[in-house]
Amino acid sequence: MDPVTAKLMSAAGAAEEATYVDDVFSTFLYDGNGSGQTITNNIDISGEGALVWIKSRTQASASHCLYDTERGAGDVIFSNSDSAEIADTNLLSAFTSSGFSLGTGSAVNQSGEDYCSWTFRKCPGFFDVVTYTGNGSSSGQTISHSLGSTPGSIWIKRTSAAEDWCVYHRSIGTAGHVRINKTSVYTTNQKFANVTSTSFDVYDS
């Protein structure tokens, strides 16, 4: 082997392993069994951090259940409701290195029901999830994130009490926000400002 070829092969071997879409995002369908089960979607949730979203495909009125590694398995919020966080380990019971485990709760694992799950793994340039404590300041509060790029959309839910969702999207800017749990979705009440690759500001207006 000539020296040039050897050098190229050495450099290639030292290259950082690429991250692909199926490493950080999964849509996974499963059947409920009512007795607990482990969902293997090949996403490293426990090691990397993620959000898991579950919805019954059989019951149109069933809630959209959201879980994330920042709050911990068992703590659920609902994207179709303004209700506070609920602690219930009978629903999603654990995060694993290749998916997540379910308890016996009917919202996520009722026998005879069909479900869909979406998993968003933390990854620079793709997705991040953070928690923070509000300060009630009218001048705003800066929230840091690790996305490493300017977010296209930001979703916020108060977990300690009932409160509408607040959603920013770059297509509508910071002049207003979207409430995904309402039928009157958009409001001009400003909640977001200064959205950057490292942080964004929130207002209690």
Side-chain angles (χ1 to χ4, degrees), residues 25-97:
F25 176 74
S26 166
T27 299
F28 191 92
L29 306 180
Y30 66 92
D31 299 324
N33 63 17
S35 61
Q37 59 177 312
T38 296
I39 303 301
T40 301
N41 60 14
N42 297 317
I43 303 292
D44 181 6
I45 297 177
S46 60
E48 298 289 346
L51 177 141
V52 177
W53 185 330
I54 299 174
K55 173 68 172 71
S56 169
R57 303 169 64 212
T58 312
Q59 300 293 333
S61 60
S63 291
H64 292 253
C65 302
L66 279 67
Y67 312 84
D68 63 74
T69 51
E70 292 298 303
R71 294 177 300 118
D75 292 332
V76 58
I77 50 178
F78 309 99
S79 62
N80 57 305
S81 170
D82 69 352
S83 63
E85 173 184 274
I86 295 174
D88 189 348
T89 54
N90 287 320
L91 300 177
L92 191 149
S93 57
F95 298 115
T96 74
S97 60

Side-chain angles (χ1 to χ4, degrees), residues 147-172:
L147 199 60
S149 60
T150 303
S153 186
I154 303 168
W155 297 32
I156 295 178
K157 177 68 181 78
R158 182 179 180 183
T159 58
S160 58
E163 193 79 53
D164 287 335
W165 284 78
C166 295
V167 175
Y168 158 85
H169 193 275
R170 61 188 173 198
S171 65
I172 60 175

